[in-house]
Amino acid sequence: MPPKKRNSGTTQSKGLKPSAESASPDKKESPELSLKKHRDKDAEFVTLCKTLHVTDLVCDRAWTLWKTIQESMDEVADNQKRLWGACLFVTVTDMDVACFTLTQVLKAVSLNVKQFMSLVRKLDVNLDTISTKVNSALTRLEKKYDVTLALYQRFEKTCKKIFALVADGKERETMRSCWTMFLLAKGRVLQMDDDLVISFQLLLCTLELFIKRCPPDLLQPLYKSSISKVQSPPTRTSRRNQSKAKSRPPEPEMDVQLLETLCKENECNAEEVKNVYQTSFSAFLDSLDLSRSPDFPQVNDLDQQYEEHYLKSRDIDGRLFLDGDETVLVPKVEILQGERTPKKNLQDEDAVLIPPQTPIRAAMTSIQQLRGDLISSGDQPSTNLDTYFKNCTVDPTQDVLKRLETLEQAFSQRFGQAVGPRCVILGKQRFTLGVRLYYKVMEEMLKSEEKRLSVQNFSKLLNDSTFHTSLLACALEVVMATYGESSFKTGGYNHGGGDQAETDVCFPWILDVFKLSAFDFYKVIESFIKADPTLSKDIVKHLETCENLIMERIAWRTASPLFELLKQEHEGGAAEQVETPASFSQPLQHNHTAADLYLSPMRPGHRALPPESPATASSQASSQVLTQPAGQTPRPPKSNSLSLFYKKLYRLAYTRLKILCSYLLSSHPELEPIIWTLFQHTLQYEYELMRDRHLDQLMMSAMYAICKVKSVDLRFKTIVTAYKNMANTNQETFKHVLITEGHYDSIIVFYNQVFMQKLKTNILQYASTRPPTLSPIPQIPRSPYKFPNSPLRVPGSNNVYISPLKSPRMSPGIMTPRSRMLVSIGESFGLSSRFQKINQMVNSSDRSFKRTLDLGSAPKPLKRLRFDVDGQDEADGSKSGGDSTLIQKLAEMSSTRSRMQEQKMKEDAEARKE
């Protein structure tokens, strides 16, 4: 028998009345709170505990936490009952006991999800108030809520297009059954239930089931006509008149025509949805014994089964979205921001409205773009790539194919383990897309190398297994990021979050799957981005964040080859050669490609490579050894990969330090270069302190140390509070710091027991009359990567941008929805009369003429222009000189375009020289 359920405080369907008894294991110890044991506590707090069915132990610990918070806070601004609810949530999460669900505590303290999450995080007034376990649980719940909200909003809009309004309100009942079934399916099919794309595909499968079983009068015309003839359910009368021997054939598992209509209307790839249906949704229907039934599932049965799942998961009751319940309502401010997307105001026949960019639409658009860019790429090497393989001294073709076969099996199996047991086939789909991108980028890389080096034999590079594995890993990371499955919610940490590591495919998951070192993976990132100009800005930023995570923490894991390279450099007496401080002030410019970095010197025997070929992709390594002066002991050649890594590391480190100093030491600007000197010294000479630690741990320790010796009052608590406001930070960084092997503690303990002990002599030098020489400040570029597809702002303007056309699929009308005329360089403009119109507009002072520059349509009402420089709009008549300002903007646009063209020609000329 299923366990008895307590009242969740939610709006239940008529047929389901769960009892108030909890299924929590703690109830066996203390079925009911003992009021006698808690006379020392506030009566209202005890009442709240009784309402939420907590045990005596939970009550005691939550009260102790509350007293700690009360003492730490200057004033308790929030409602006490709400803070108590937050304390109880933190306590049961830390203890991992099932006393109540998130929805139950939200209702008990009258807060919605976002308000409650914010309140819990406010409790973290000390370094140890909120554990990393609680923070992980909060992050997971918040992501799941955001995904469920996005799905429900799309579900409601889609249902309005599917179901017709009828007098008895039957369509609402159908929606409730459909939504509840979807929630149950998502909970059972997906282990990683915050996956937006697969969840949405499951939702379409659920809608398909309900549409094909709906009475025709309940459907809108489009979906009524989309149901296949063979799928049309017979009437109950005809069903009863049929004998068992003459019953119609079993209903097919899915209506392909109907599913394709749903996918088309929702901009979703039909083949992917069909696979989700066949592999996951059909199995779910079988588990409910619904695969062949022509009837609707019973809402009471669905409610009961979902109730069990919801109580077990202890989070949000997803049925509340149907009721507009205040605990799951989204703040009105967020709704308004989501609907603020500008709409096209053209009145031409081809004018289109740009819909709001919802999370689901953004995901579907990104996936369509990726798949579109890979249409011409096959699952096998292209003719050009095959030629490169055949030109090698040792043909890598068979090794490449065998490696892909092995890695596909590893990837799809681990994907299924993380996302859901029946999602292995989906993992294979992701892998196939990754292989196409891998071949595409590899070919572009080799073309670039051929042009750069004038060679066609890349035997050494193309037989390097690490290069291929890294390139494939990067391609798969792009695919998973496009599908929204890889992000940085854990910051690369996998401990302290219960089973989070098992249900998390966020970076660096792919490195663990392929057993690939982060240091090797970093070598391919920049070349990958340069080789594929179709990557969106979001994906480029994603890869850049991957690179930063590698430099901050992941490359410093104990088994990393980075430590071996550093050891070689220092043993060779070349510690200063890793990256000379004198070069800090120079721009981050280098000519190293992935080929240079993978063929960069390594310890002999560290990586097996084929015999030397007559012409390889890089000759720099050998030339460095040959140029050693006669009579001197040959020193190991300098590693390009290590040198470039440290160049980027220093620039990242200084950038983060500068941000933190701006928060905390604006009144002491003289301290920033001193802190940087200590920080840089630590990274260069005491790099062992980075082993299994984070770059920011050394940064915060260096800041505290210098402030201490310079008698500036700055506590670690203050540093940590400011640090939490920085981008891409994780509280594990200051709460879970390695002290000794296997032992972790807060950053304060790390500073006292490790950092200060190691650097005490060096730190004290900064208090002397002869402090160490200051390290030069690195020059910080905006980003090491160029975004060729990003709009460039016209100098001196507020809202004038020049944006190159990315692909033929993106029409100028979609790129600039507010424009009435657009000139796109590289695309046919049409009649020459249009250029004459522009010339007339620039030379004419007649405002009415400019307003009718829509090539023949009727005059439009004057809109407020966004060319204001002084804070006023020229179109409202509040300042003169509107025409001259507009002419000036157009002139600046022309000038900027000319400069861009000149720069492009210059770059091409330099490339030819190289």
Side-chain angles (χ1 to χ4, degrees):
M1 290 184 62
K4 293 182 179 179
K5 299 171 282 293
R6 39 182 196 281
N7 190 346
S8 65
T10 63
T11 306
Q12 305 291 347
S13 299
K14 295 178 183 177
L16 183 67
K17 292 183 180 179
S19 67
E21 189 177 342
S22 171
S24 167
D26 292 307
K27 290 301 178 88
K28 295 175 183 176
E29 300 172 11
S30 177
E32 196 168 327
L33 203 67
S34 172
L35 298 179
K36 293 181 181 179
K37 291 183 180 179
H38 305 291
R39 289 176 179 172
D40 60 324
K41 302 176 181 68
D42 191 297
E44 287 186 31
F45 174 80
V46 178
T47 302
L48 177 62
C49 290
K50 194 171 177 64
T51 302
L52 294 172
H53 308 286
V54 305
T55 63
D56 289 325
L57 182 58
V58 169
C59 183
D60 284 335
R61 290 192 180 179
W63 183 254
T64 302
L65 176 61
W66 159 244
K67 298 304 289 184
T68 302
I69 289 169
Q70 200 175 25
E71 291 170 5
S72 301
M73 291 177 125
D74 297 330
E75 58 177 343
V76 181
D78 290 283
N79 179 297
Q80 265 197 170
K81 186 177 180 180
R82 292 176 173 178
L83 287 166
W84 290 338
C87 289
L88 285 165
F89 173 82
V90 168
T91 303
V92 299
T93 304
D94 263 328
M95 294 175 64
D96 199 23
V97 294
C99 296
F100 52 80
T101 68
L102 177 59
T103 288
Q104 288 169 338
V105 74
L106 291 176
K107 286 190 168 292
V109 300
S110 302
L111 282 176
N112 67 37
V113 176
K114 292 290 189 181
Q115 292 169 331
F116 186 76
M117 299 286 180
S118 176
L119 181 63
V120 173
R121 288 197 164 102
K122 282 181 182 176
L123 298 185
D124 202 9
V125 289
N126 292 315
L127 290 183
D128 55 355
T129 307
I130 302 297
S131 68
T132 54
K133 185 176 182 180
V134 173
N135 191 61
S136 291
L138 279 177
T139 303
R140 186 190 70 81
L141 286 169
E142 199 163 23
K143 175 75 182 294
K144 186 174 180 180
Y145 167 75
D146 290 339
V147 166
T148 309
L149 174 64
L151 290 165
Y152 180 74
Q153 289 172 337
R154 174 57 72 96
F155 171 76
E156 199 168 44
K157 290 178 182 176
T158 305
C159 284
K160 289 178 181 177
K161 298 177 181 178
I162 295 173
F163 300 113
L165 297 175
V166 291
D168 59 358
K170 185 74 174 175
E171 81 286 344
R172 193 69 190 172
E173 184 183 333
T174 304
M175 283 179 62
R176 178 172 291 278
S177 296
C178 185
W179 178 248
T180 307
M181 177 182 253
F182 160 67
L183 292 173
L184 182 60
K186 183 164 76 82
R188 289 192 179 175
V189 169
L190 293 181
Q191 189 168 312
M192 195 174 79
D193 55 6
D194 59 359
D195 188 302
L196 179 64
V197 174
I198 301 178
S199 296
F200 180 57
Q201 292 168 342
L202 270 174
L203 178 58
L204 295 182
C205 294
T206 312
L207 283 166
E208 182 270 354
L209 180 81
F210 275 78
I211 292 170
K212 71 187 179 189
R213 297 182 183 187
C214 256
D217 61 341
L218 204 60
L219 296 175
Q220 299 277 18
L222 173 63
Y223 289 94
K224 193 183 298 184
S225 63
S226 295
I227 301 175
S228 303
K229 293 258 182 6
V230 71
Q231 289 285 3
S232 299
T235 62
R236 291 187 180 275
T237 305
S238 64
R239 187 84 174 162
R240 282 197 298 267
N241 290 338
Q242 289 176 339
S243 65
K244 289 184 179 179
K246 294 182 179 181
S247 61
R248 73 180 178 92
E251 181 181 3
E253 289 187 356
M254 65 177 172
D255 185 330
V256 175
Q257 182 176 313
L258 175 58
L259 204 59
E260 286 177 349
T261 300
L262 272 168
C263 292
K264 183 178 179 182
E265 289 293 302
N266 288 279
E267 306 161 293
C268 195
N269 183 271
E271 289 304 314
E272 291 186 356
V273 180
K274 289 174 190 174
N275 276 321
V276 170
Y277 200 118
Q278 292 166 340
T279 58
S280 302
F281 191 64
S282 290
F284 165 72
L285 292 179
D286 287 339
S287 71
L288 297 182
D289 199 24
L290 288 172
S291 292
R292 308 295 179 185
S293 169
D295 301 320
F296 282 136
Q298 292 295 313
V299 67
N300 289 351
D301 292 343
L302 291 174
D303 255 332
Q304 184 173 1
Q305 293 191 55
Y306 175 70
E307 177 82 3
E308 291 174 10
H309 168 77
Y310 149 66
L311 290 173
K312 186 179 179 181
S313 65
R314 288 185 285 160
D315 51 27
I316 303 161
D317 187 344
R319 295 167 296 186
L320 296 179
F321 287 96
L322 282 160
D323 307 311
D325 191 279
E326 61 183 8
T327 60
V328 294
L329 284 180
V330 63
K332 290 183 178 179
V333 176
E334 292 187 21
I335 296 175
L336 291 174
Q337 287 176 344
E339 294 176 350
R340 204 173 284 169
T341 305
K343 292 181 174 57
K344 191 172 176 70
N345 58 12
L346 284 175
Q347 296 179 1
D348 302 332
E349 291 181 3
D350 61 343
V352 290
L353 286 177
I354 306 253
Q357 189 75 336
T358 62
I360 290 177
R361 179 171 286 111
M364 295 302 107
T365 302
S366 297
I367 292 168
Q368 280 183 333
Q369 181 181 320
L370 174 68
R371 296 182 74 92
D373 291 336
L374 295 176
I375 285 176
S376 59
S377 302
D379 300 337
Q380 298 293 324
S382 67
T383 305
N384 285 341
L385 192 55
D386 190 55
T387 302
Y388 281 119
F389 287 174
K390 294 291 186 290
N391 284 339
C392 291
T393 307
V394 178
D395 188 340
T397 305
Q398 292 307 312
D399 284 344
V400 166
L401 297 177
K402 187 176 179 180
R403 186 184 303 108
L404 287 176
E405 185 180 343
T406 304
L407 294 179
E408 179 186 30
Q409 187 174 0
F411 177 86
S412 56
Q413 291 297 328
R414 288 286 297 274
F415 186 89
Q417 290 172 17
V419 179
R422 295 187 178 275
C423 294
V424 173
I425 187 68
L426 303 182
K428 290 186 176 183
Q429 287 180 334
R430 305 286 190 274
F431 191 88
T432 298
L433 284 174
V435 168
R436 290 179 180 178
L437 184 56
Y438 156 79
Y439 282 143
K440 174 188 173 184
V441 172
M442 191 195 311
E443 184 176 336
E444 291 304 317
M445 280 185 177
L446 294 175
K447 285 179 182 177
S448 177
E449 287 295 284
E450 181 180 1
K451 183 178 179 181
R452 183 174 76 105
L453 301 170
S454 299
V455 296
Q456 290 82 36
N457 185 344
F458 299 101
S459 188
K460 191 171 182 180
L461 177 68
L462 291 178
N463 282 281
D464 188 329
S465 178
T466 307
F467 163 71
H468 285 285
T469 306
S470 302
L471 187 60
L472 178 63
C474 197
L476 285 166
E477 184 62 28
V478 168
V479 170
M480 291 194 296
T482 302
Y483 276 81
E485 287 156 346
S486 181
S487 60
F488 310 102
K489 62 185 177 185
T490 64
Y493 289 95
N494 283 336
H495 51 262
D499 63 349
Q500 183 171 359
E502 299 165 19
T503 60
D504 183 4
V505 295
C506 295
F507 188 79
W509 177 82
I510 188 65
L511 304 186
D512 296 329
V513 172
F514 285 175
K515 297 179 173 56
L516 180 67
S517 81
F519 183 72
D520 281 323
F521 181 77
Y522 119 87
K523 300 174 189 176
V524 83
I525 295 175
E526 187 170 337
S527 290
F528 191 102
I529 293 171
K530 290 177 178 177
D532 189 357
T534 66
L535 293 177
S536 69
K537 186 173 182 179
D538 286 340
I539 293 297
V540 173
K541 284 186 175 180
H542 178 90
L543 292 177
E544 188 175 2
T545 305
C546 291
E547 186 180 66
N548 288 345
L549 279 174
I550 288 170
M551 291 187 289
E552 290 169 6
R553 194 186 74 84
I554 307 172
W556 300 97
R557 289 174 175 174
T558 291
S560 173
L562 175 59
F563 288 103
E564 183 62 36
L565 278 175
L566 283 167
K567 183 180 177 183
Q568 289 177 38
E569 294 283 350
H570 284 256
E571 285 178 350
E576 75 283 356
Q577 296 296 324
V578 172
E579 164 65 351
T580 56
S583 68
F584 288 176
S585 57
Q586 300 170 2
L588 182 58
Q589 294 176 346
H590 62 89
N591 295 319
H592 300 312
T593 63
D596 290 328
L597 301 183
Y598 283 101
L599 302 178
S600 186
M602 298 290 291
R603 184 178 182 180
H606 181 74
R607 183 183 299 143
L609 292 174
E612 283 287 337
S613 56
T616 60
S618 176
S619 59
Q620 294 182 21
S622 57
S623 65
Q624 288 174 350
V625 177
L626 295 173
T627 54
Q628 290 285 346
Q632 289 188 11
T633 303
R635 191 171 66 190
K638 184 178 175 181
S639 168
N640 291 326
S641 58
L642 181 61
S643 176
L644 181 59
F645 181 85
Y646 256 79
K647 283 180 181 179
K648 291 189 172 186
L649 175 70
Y650 284 152
R651 282 158 176 80
L652 175 64
Y654 178 70
T655 300
R656 297 185 69 73
L657 176 64
K658 188 173 181 64
I659 294 170
L660 194 58
C661 285
S662 69
Y663 288 165
L664 298 169
L665 297 173
S666 57
S667 57
H668 296 279
E670 73 283 356
L671 293 185
E672 181 189 296
I674 301 174
I675 298 168
W676 165 242
T677 302
L678 175 60
F679 190 14
Q680 185 270 323
H681 168 88
T682 308
L683 291 173
Q684 185 168 358
Y685 297 101
E686 304 293 345
Y687 58 85
E688 277 292 331
L689 283 175
M690 280 295 298
R691 188 181 291 272
D692 292 325
R693 297 193 179 99
H694 194 291
L695 180 70
D696 293 346
Q697 293 163 358
L698 270 61
M699 174 183 71
M700 289 186 275
S701 297
M703 175 176 281
Y704 183 80
I706 295 302
C707 287
K708 199 81 172 169
V709 298
K710 293 295 184 180
S711 301
V712 173
D713 184 21
L714 184 64
R715 294 177 294 172
F716 249 122
K717 178 181 174 182
T718 309
I719 295 175
V720 165
T721 301
Y723 175 76
K724 286 191 290 187
N725 292 323
M726 291 175 62
N728 301 319
T729 58
N730 189 292
Q731 68 164 352
E732 296 240 0
T733 305
F734 52 84
K735 289 190 175 183
H736 200 83
V737 190
L738 178 67
I739 309 301
T740 57
E741 186 177 354
H743 173 57
Y744 293 80
D745 213 314
S746 73
I747 192 168
I748 297 172
V749 177
F750 165 72
Y751 175 83
N752 288 326
Q753 295 185 11
V754 182
F755 188 87
M756 189 183 68
Q757 301 302 323
K758 189 74 173 176
L759 291 161
K760 188 173 184 179
T761 303
N762 188 271
I763 292 170
L764 291 175
Q765 289 178 6
Y766 294 94
S768 68
T769 54
R770 299 184 64 183
T773 305
L774 296 179
S775 297
I777 301 299
Q779 184 179 98
I780 306 300
R782 184 190 58 158
S783 168
Y785 306 112
K786 296 177 182 178
F787 298 110
N789 299 316
S790 302
L792 301 175
R793 188 173 67 86
V794 175
S797 70
N798 285 349
N799 262 344
V800 181
Y801 291 83
I802 296 176
S803 181
L805 186 66
K806 182 174 181 181
S807 72
R809 298 192 308 276
M810 295 181 64
S811 71
I814 292 177
M815 290 169 66
T816 54
R818 288 181 175 172
S819 301
R820 295 193 185 131
M821 178 180 288
L822 180 96
V823 178
S824 177
I825 298 171
E827 186 176 273
S828 176
F829 186 60
L831 301 175
S832 60
S833 59
R834 290 196 172 191
F835 285 109
Q836 294 173 1
K837 292 276 188 183
I838 291 178
N839 289 334
Q840 286 177 305
M841 180 192 76
V842 173
N843 294 325
S844 173
S845 60
D846 183 0
R847 288 176 180 268
S848 63
F849 180 81
K850 298 190 189 94
R851 293 199 298 273
T852 58
L853 190 64
D854 56 358
L855 306 180
S857 62
K860 299 176 181 175
L862 186 64
K863 298 287 183 183
R864 291 170 66 85
L865 298 177
R866 295 294 181 182
F867 284 137
D868 54 307
V869 178
D870 303 323
Q872 293 176 306
D873 291 322
E874 294 137 4
D876 63 9
S878 59
K879 66 179 182 180
S880 61
D883 296 328
S884 60
T885 306
L886 182 57
I887 293 169
Q888 179 187 345
K889 300 303 174 190
L890 289 169
E892 289 172 349
M893 288 172 66
S894 177
S895 174
T896 302
R897 185 170 63 246
S898 299
R899 288 199 299 272
M900 289 171 64
Q901 291 173 336
E902 290 174 5
Q903 179 65 24
K904 182 68 169 62
M905 292 171 64
K906 183 178 178 182
E907 290 175 357
D908 289 344
E910 290 176 355
R912 282 194 294 271
K913 288 179 183 178
E914 292 176 2

